[in-house]
Amino acid sequence: MTNQNKLLWSPSDERINNSQIEKFRHFVEERCGRTFSSYADLWAWSVDELENFWEAVWYYFEMDACSSYARVLDSYDMPGCHWFEGAKVNYAEQILKRGRAGEV
């Protein structure tokens, strides 16, 4: 193996298990009743099922909206599609909420 192909670093199992992506994966598995055996499986789901993925992100991050959305995605035409139509979210409130909870 040349230096160019040498793995420089790999996270510990503890670091992986405490990562946000692992927490999200567990959340999605419980919420959707699916099992993702690898990051690649989770990634494939995020690409194949855009609406389900982004709705899971919405709920995982506990988005507070002044008004709810009618649907996650109105079209697959990009650019030009509309995400979470009807939702009104205060961006500053969302960011400050995360900071107070120590999640930043």
Side-chain angles (χ1 to χ4, degrees), residues 8-74:
L8 298 177
W9 179 81
S10 182
S12 67
D13 288 342
E14 179 182 4
R15 186 176 206 133
I16 291 169
N17 292 334
N18 289 320
S19 68
Q20 284 298 320
I21 195 71
E22 271 300 288
K23 291 174 184 176
F24 177 70
R25 182 179 67 83
H26 290 296
F27 173 83
V28 170
E29 287 180 340
E30 288 179 22
R31 180 177 171 78
C32 300
R34 298 188 56 158
T35 301
F36 302 99
S37 60
S38 67
Y39 172 81
D41 288 344
L42 181 62
W43 175 84
W45 175 73
S46 76
V47 173
D48 294 339
E49 298 185 34
L50 283 177
E51 293 168 82
N52 291 332
F53 171 76
W54 285 106
E55 186 170 48
V57 168
W58 177 279
Y59 285 107
Y60 178 74
F61 285 105
E62 300 174 341
M63 296 296 295
D64 291 327
C66 301
S67 62
S68 186
Y69 57 89
R71 58 186 167 198
V72 175
L73 181 62
D74 73 336

